[in-house]
Amino acid sequence: MLLRQLEPRSARTTAEVIKFALWPFAVMTVLNRVFIKAVNGFITDDFKPVYAAALDFVNRRPVYTANYDLVDPHYLYYPSGTLLIAPVAYLHPEEARWFFIALNAVAILAAWYLLLRLFRFTLSSVVAPVLLFAMFMSETVTNTLVFTNINGCVLLAELIFIHLLLKRRDLWAGAALGLSLAVKPTLAPLLLIALARGQWKVFLTALGVPVALTAIAWPLSKDPEKFFTRTAKYVFEARDYFNSSVPGNGEYYGLQPWLIWTIRVGMGVLVLISLWLLYRYYRQDELFFVCTASGVLLTAEFLLSSLGQMYYSMMLFPFLMTVVLRNSVLRNWPAWLAVFGFMSYDKWLSDRWQHIGRDVEYLRITFGWGLLLIVVFCVLGDRYLAAKRDGRLEFGIDPVWIKPVPSSDATAAARVGSPSSTNGSATTVGKPISVEG
């Protein structure tokens, strides 16, 4: 009887086969990334300047003293962020680093669970091990833990914000976003989502939290004004190292400023058109709209702003998860070629073809973000043109195999009975596909 209880269960469905195969891979990958790769560390150490800043803050020494002529990681958090990370200074440096690794690992795991629930999946679904394995196999999660930075906590703040935003709990959604903005501005474009949805209360806490924390941190800091007079200038300049944005790679490869600006403006136009189409035809489909629009905004930020680093791509997980929705813009191979460019942990540096390998390694992130924005524009643009050609724009732009056009009698009845029948696609379009085990 005891041996019978210990006997592994045999899978009876394809979903169970996948779950039984992937759960061990997912769990062991998490353990490897957290306890081996992260603890081993790397030559790039994002935590060292953070710990030094916390130590200086606690001891009332100047914080913003970095030499920006060097290529070592610099401390770039706001004074409010310094206040939040200050407690790590009371730990031994090694213990503090381990704590930061654990904090981000727990935050990423919590974000993984919230991402499952956002798309109505459970821990028993086949999606759970697939998503966990994919996240911890990616460059963005791996290097966030290895370099030991705060991005895992920022991802968790993003998922909490999206959950609360969709539930219309505006003040709490803004508070979650505000805590991340108090440290770094990565998620600032998400305020446009709240603006588009008319959720004005989000702004009260999203802006109020960092302002309040700054007011607390200011008298406790030795040189808080130096962030605005010295560090901010460096942040808004495009550096030519460890920078995958268009300005950064443009500087590295010596492109003329006019060409860099042409690329930025051109891609910006594509982004604006994509956002307009999303707002005009999909804002009623809340899950699809919020996750897709946030992905477009954040990808544009990484690609077109002064600084874009590969592990920022972690914030795109909610967008990539929309692939389970029937009307997703990511159900095509070019989209996932783009994702491979900025998510893969593979290195393309070649001993045999050094010049080509270096270019592929340095440009694959930039091209990946750019291709993803182009794919979104092309999919939405094609849907719009097809709907316009078929005379069905009043019913939205989803393909007819996703959302059939009502018959003429049903259309007339809908127009009489519902004045909002032309406001875009129905809210039920974004129901996830069923992949429960």
Side-chain angles (χ1 to χ4, degrees):
M1 181 66 69
L2 177 61
L3 293 177
R4 187 176 300 171
Q5 295 299 321
L6 295 176
E7 179 184 355
R9 249 185 339 121
S10 297
R12 299 181 182 182
T13 65
T14 302
E16 284 189 333
V17 171
I18 297 174
K19 285 193 292 183
F20 289 167
L22 277 185
W23 267 119
F25 275 80
V27 172
M28 296 309 293
T29 299
V30 171
L31 295 177
N32 173 267
R33 296 305 192 260
V34 175
F35 293 103
I36 304 302
K37 283 190 174 295
V39 173
N40 286 348
F42 191 66
I43 189 173
T44 300
D45 186 356
D46 289 343
F47 181 69
K48 185 177 179 180
V50 169
Y51 183 80
L55 203 60
D56 290 336
F57 177 84
V58 168
N59 290 283
R60 301 299 302 272
R61 295 194 296 261
V63 172
Y64 301 103
T65 59
N67 182 358
Y68 297 129
D69 294 327
L70 302 178
V71 299
D72 296 328
H74 302 301
Y75 183 73
L76 305 176
Y77 295 173
Y78 301 134
S80 52
T82 307
L83 177 68
L84 291 177
I85 58 96
V88 302
Y90 293 100
L91 298 174
H92 182 274
E94 186 175 35
E95 294 174 352
R97 183 173 178 273
W98 290 356
F99 169 78
F100 225 61
I101 292 171
L103 177 65
N104 279 276
V106 170
I108 294 168
L109 290 173
W112 161 72
Y113 177 74
L114 290 177
L115 194 54
L116 288 174
R117 300 307 302 144
L118 183 64
F119 288 86
R120 306 183 191 96
F121 294 116
T122 64
L123 293 176
S124 62
S125 73
V126 68
V127 175
V130 172
L131 179 61
L132 183 64
F133 180 64
M135 288 175 69
F136 278 82
M137 277 293 292
S138 69
E139 183 277 345
T140 180
V141 169
T142 301
N143 279 345
T144 287
L145 296 173
V146 173
F147 299 165
T148 318
N149 57 53
I150 200 69
N151 287 335
C153 297
V154 177
L155 174 65
L156 179 58
E158 179 187 9
L159 264 299
I160 294 174
F161 168 75
I162 292 175
H163 268 274
L164 295 174
L165 190 77
L166 290 173
K167 293 179 180 179
R168 301 280 172 172
R169 300 181 66 178
D170 296 357
L171 293 176
W172 285 109
L177 188 63
L179 282 174
S180 76
L181 297 180
V183 179
K184 57 196 302 188
T186 306
L187 299 182
L190 298 188
L191 287 170
L192 294 176
I193 304 292
L195 179 65
R197 289 165 55 84
Q199 294 176 252
W200 304 102
K201 291 182 180 178
V202 168
F203 288 82
L204 296 178
T205 45
L207 301 179
V209 168
V211 169
L213 290 173
T214 299
I216 297 172
W218 200 276
L220 301 177
S221 304
K222 183 70 174 180
D223 60 341
E225 74 286 347
K226 289 292 183 65
F227 174 85
F228 300 98
T229 61
R230 188 170 183 271
T231 303
K233 180 181 179 181
Y234 170 78
V235 170
F236 288 107
E237 290 179 351
R239 67 194 196 198
D240 61 359
Y241 61 93
F242 301 140
N243 189 357
S244 297
S245 68
V246 167
N249 263 327
E251 290 286 336
Y252 178 81
Y253 285 98
L255 299 186
Q256 294 295 319
W258 67 266
L259 181 56
I260 295 174
W261 275 105
T262 298
I263 297 172
R264 295 173 81 178
V265 171
M267 292 301 299
V269 170
L270 299 189
V271 168
L272 290 175
I273 294 174
S274 298
L275 291 173
W276 180 84
L277 290 171
L278 287 169
Y279 177 78
R280 175 65 180 84
Y281 295 103
Y282 286 106
R283 67 182 182 273
Q284 304 302 325
D285 186 357
E286 294 187 321
L287 179 61
F288 173 82
F289 172 74
V290 169
C291 292
T292 304
S294 65
V296 172
L297 285 168
L298 291 172
T299 306
E301 177 191 14
F302 305 155
L303 181 69
L304 304 178
S305 66
S306 59
L307 177 62
Q309 295 184 298
M310 189 175 181
Y311 50 51
Y312 291 176
S313 302
M314 183 186 297
M315 311 311 155
L316 301 182
F317 282 140
F319 177 36
L320 301 185
M321 192 65 179
T322 62
V323 72
V324 303
L325 304 179
R326 295 189 69 202
N327 57 349
S328 172
V329 297
L330 301 178
R331 292 190 168 192
N332 53 78
W333 67 262
W336 293 95
L337 175 62
V339 173
F340 179 85
F342 57 75
M343 281 288 184
S344 170
Y345 194 56
D346 294 344
K347 300 297 180 185
W348 289 83
L349 299 174
S350 170
D351 294 333
R352 178 61 181 84
W353 300 284
Q354 294 184 11
H355 180 71
I356 295 175
R358 184 171 60 251
D359 288 345
V360 173
E361 175 65 18
Y362 292 172
L363 291 171
R364 66 187 178 96
I365 305 103
T366 311
F367 286 166
W369 289 334
L371 178 59
L372 186 64
L373 292 176
I374 291 172
V375 166
V376 174
F377 168 77
C378 290
V379 171
L380 293 175
D382 180 68
R383 289 181 183 180
Y384 173 81
L385 294 176
K388 183 177 182 181
R389 183 172 59 249
D390 297 340
R392 53 184 174 84
L393 280 178
E394 61 180 311
F395 305 108
I397 61 175
D398 277 324
V400 292
W401 64 268
I402 295 178
K403 183 186 176 187
V405 176
S407 63
S408 57
D409 293 340
T411 302
R415 285 174 176 168
V416 172
S418 175
S420 60
S421 60
T422 61
N423 282 347
S425 54
T427 59
T428 57
V429 173
K431 183 179 180 180
I433 59 176
S434 177
V435 289
E436 293 288 335

